[in-house]
């Protein structure tokens, strides 16, 4: 995003009030806003850049609040000064950086899991299917994070590279599984 595009970004500030009980309604709204990538500014106050990537999640959160007997108000905002704009952008970018760091850690766990299966020679179709599901979860997560990362956190490029590595690791594991199954079939003949 260019500097001109960043300056043009406005924010949606959501003020959400929910009944204290049952707590599951607050948790549902909180989860939806976290999943959307909203920045928590305080109890019941959230913000997102006013761009299409956030519109659907904001609507879902507002619908959840209404259906729980609460209410949500959405305000359009911008920083009072250029410094305020920059601070807000930095807060939002820091949240995206934290998301990317978590993603990168999960990529590491994925690679470690496959390395363990290779060490243990666990070359089964069931295990391969499980690993492919984990890889698909990483792909969906990467897509979601990319859509929310409107200011381009520095970790995004590393995450894309790391996801490609996960794909390569999984493809290698798949080849080993099929080689082991083929060897078993030949042994049975």
């Amino acid at each position: 995003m260019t500097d001109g595009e960043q300056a043009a970004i406005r924010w949606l500030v959501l003020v959400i009030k929910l009944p204290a009980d049952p707590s599951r309604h607050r948790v549902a709204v909180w989860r939806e806003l976290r999943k959307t990538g909203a920045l928590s500014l305080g109890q019941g106050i959230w913000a997102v850049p006013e761009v299409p990537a956030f519109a659907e999640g904001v609507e879902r959160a507002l619908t959840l609040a209404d259906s729980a007997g609460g209410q949500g108000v959405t305000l359009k905002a911008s920083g009072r000064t250029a410094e305020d704009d920059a601070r807000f952008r930095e807060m939002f970018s820091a949240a995206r950086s934290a998301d990317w760091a978590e993603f990168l850690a999960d990529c590491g766990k994925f690679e470690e899991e496959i390395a363990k299966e290779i060490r243990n020679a666990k070359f089964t179709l069931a295990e391969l299917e499980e690993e492919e599901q984990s890889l698909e979860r990483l792909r969906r997560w990467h897509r979601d994070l990319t859509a929310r990362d409107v200011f381009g956190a520095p970790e995004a490029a590393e995450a894309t590279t790391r996801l490609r590595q996960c794909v390569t690791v999984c493809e290698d594991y798949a080849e080993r599984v099929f080689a082991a199954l083929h060897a078993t079939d030949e042994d049975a003949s």
Side-chain angles (χ1 to χ4, degrees):
M1 189 173 276
T2 67
D3 289 340
E5 288 172 319
Q6 285 183 353
I9 294 252
R10 291 181 47 92
W11 297 85
L12 294 178
V13 177
L14 289 82
V15 180
I16 298 184
K17 293 179 111 183
L18 292 163
D21 288 314
S23 64
R24 72 176 185 276
H25 297 300
R26 283 193 318 280
V27 171
V29 171
W30 177 83
R31 280 187 180 147
E32 185 59 43
L33 289 166
R34 293 283 301 143
K35 183 175 123 187
T36 297
L39 179 64
S40 175
L41 300 177
Q43 190 171 359
I45 303 172
W46 300 80
V48 295
E50 187 182 16
V51 295
F54 299 98
E56 199 174 297
V58 166
E59 284 307 313
R60 281 192 306 267
L62 292 171
T63 299
L64 283 169
D66 286 344
S67 66
Q71 61 181 345
V73 175
T74 307
L75 307 168
K76 291 185 179 193
S78 61
R80 193 170 48 92
T81 65
E83 290 80 20
D84 287 339
D85 279 337
R87 241 180 257 127
F88 215 68
R89 216 175 291 131
E90 287 168 13
M91 289 168 55
F92 188 81
S93 292
R96 296 299 69 84
S97 289
D99 290 344
W100 283 121
E102 186 178 347
F103 175 84
L104 288 165
D106 271 25
C107 286
K109 291 175 189 173
F110 176 80
E111 292 169 336
E112 288 170 12
E113 174 66 20
I114 289 185
K116 180 185 85 173
E117 301 307 350
I118 291 171
R119 275 192 314 277
N120 295 335
K122 189 170 183 186
F123 300 121
T124 65
L125 287 176
E127 190 60 39
L128 175 58
E129 185 175 323
E130 186 179 314
E131 299 306 342
E132 287 174 336
Q133 288 172 357
S134 294
L135 179 60
E136 187 53 36
R137 183 186 64 79
L138 286 171
R139 285 179 168 143
R140 281 191 311 272
W141 191 7
H142 185 272
R143 260 190 319 270
D144 291 346
L145 288 176
T146 299
R148 294 192 309 244
D149 188 11
V150 295
F151 302 121
E155 297 84 358
E158 180 185 355
T160 298
T161 299
R162 199 66 187 276
L163 180 59
R164 283 191 204 116
Q165 289 172 340
C166 288
V167 169
T168 300
V169 165
C170 192
E171 288 171 351
D172 174 66
Y173 180 66
E175 288 177 22
R176 291 171 187 251
V177 168
F178 290 119
L181 292 174
H182 184 66
T184 303
D185 289 345
E186 287 178 356
D187 293 343
S189 302

